[in-house]
Amino acid sequence: MTTMRVLTTSFIALATLFAGCRDEELTNLAGGVTGQVCNPVTGRPAGGASVTADWVNPFTEKAGSKDTEADENGFFRIGGMPVTTATLTIRNEEFENQLQVDVIEREDVQLVDPACRDLPGEPGMGELVGQICNRHTGEYITEGTVTVLLASGEELVADIQPDGSFVMPDVPVGVHVVYVQAPGFQKTYQIEVLEGGQTLLEDQVVDCEPFDELSTGMIVGSICGPSDTGEGGPLAGAHVYVVQPIDGIVYESWSLEDGTFAIAGIPAPQTGLQVRAEKGGFVYTWPDVNVFTLADAPDGTNVTASVDCQELVPDDDRRYLVVQGTFDKIEQVLSRMGLTNVDLLEGVPMDPSELWSTAAFANFDTLSTYDAVFVNCGISETDLVLGLNPAVKENLKRYIREGGSLYVSDWAYDLVEQVWPERINFLGDDSVNSDAEHGEDGDYGVEVLEPGLADYVGASNVTIGFSFGNFAIVSLLDPTVTTYLRGDVGYRVNGGVSTLNDVPVTVGFSDGFGRVIFTSFHQETNDAGETETLDGPEDLVLRYLIFSL
């Protein structure tokens, strides 16, 4: 009996030792699973979801389980699992989902969750890509930058890679001017970014080859805005093009921030071409331009060689409507710029029952005959207190979408707030008329955020004067709204004056083919009640805004 007890004990010990060795071996063979889990309804990462792995160990035939929590982006890892088929249960308060995974020894299996789907980019965003070729040398640009100016004044900048390529994700949808700058090379483009799509710069080509010196030429020059005396400032974003298509192609370019432009790759020689520059309601046409081959004219035909910078002149075919107000006289700025094809509409009718908004905007056919409409500060606010007629709102939206332009100043801000509440948020209660009018009068230093405007006024910081208090204050902007000027301003509150930082003073946005401008400062009257003639940066800013319409 004693011998039997010893043998039995020895057998148990050996069995225990064998099992322990086997468990150690199984542990060494253990694998894991890692990956990203998603919400099967939305397709987006399931941040914070619980992930539970359940299995039956094929060696011990015992059930096992481990769990973890996915991080904020839905990523997780579970290790120490036997080599077998495991069931993963992913759950949170919104869903529960199960997946099967085969665990491999000594490796982490990468989970592919079918709930994770390719989703469109950030709403209102697209991607800009390209490969920049210097057609003058026949080589790709190997260094430099591609810049898109965002509406907020911020710049999106992408570096050009050694093969000339670049990628710029998350570009707001809409029409943008793109600047490409590199050593010995600069060019500007106008592109339209579509939501969730990829926009390709036209210079991405399979073979980067130089322009044929024997068969192509170019036109160069410089554009500036008109001024009362002397040369106006450089004008960015002017559209310059050859009027006559050549072999069905319109050769065109846009002026850079310094006003210069170059139209390259034109089949040459050419004689008697018309070249036209346009910016807002201003134009200039060179009537008889000859283009020579690069072999004969390596620097191209300079259409502004005799004047250094060509000032644009008013386009006589354009018409303007000004709704007159008590405190702003934008029509005088138009007159100083030589724009005389202007109709005036009384914004403070003698008969209170007459509504200027109905007279200006109720008839779309009449409204569409104007290229731009200006609504001055100090119009009758009866229309705005009553609320704009729905037909007036719809006509205004359609007018802008189809290419019209609108300028609104200061106390007329409720017009913008009622028609485009999603674009600009003004201080105070949006449902209360004039609730944003709390600005303190004075001179304020402001930043010039729009590069073209900065070049035009010749400064990145200017002083803007507000002769009267209680000007309208902008509080928040949609990302698609351009900030031209921004600064710290005084704010009248509770009988005192506080300071609001980084307030947008002058802004604008595009909708379809048209544009809307709002400015808190404007042409004002002096102490004698007479209209001031602005001769400082305020006048230049207003001129530039008119160029933008």
Side-chain angles (χ1 to χ4, degrees), residues 268-287:
Q270 298 281 343
T271 59
L273 295 180
Q274 278 193 334
V275 179
R276 184 176 174 91
E278 300 175 344
K279 176 71 173 177
F282 296 82
V283 299
Y284 190 85
T285 300
W286 294 272

Side-chain angles (χ1 to χ4, degrees), residues 147-157 170 172 449-451 479 481-483 486:
T147 302
V148 175
L149 176 69
L150 295 184
S152 63
E154 177 189 358
E155 292 181 344
L156 283 181
V157 180
D170 296 332
L449 297 181
E450 209 264 357
V481 178
T482 299
T483 300
R486 181 181 66 193

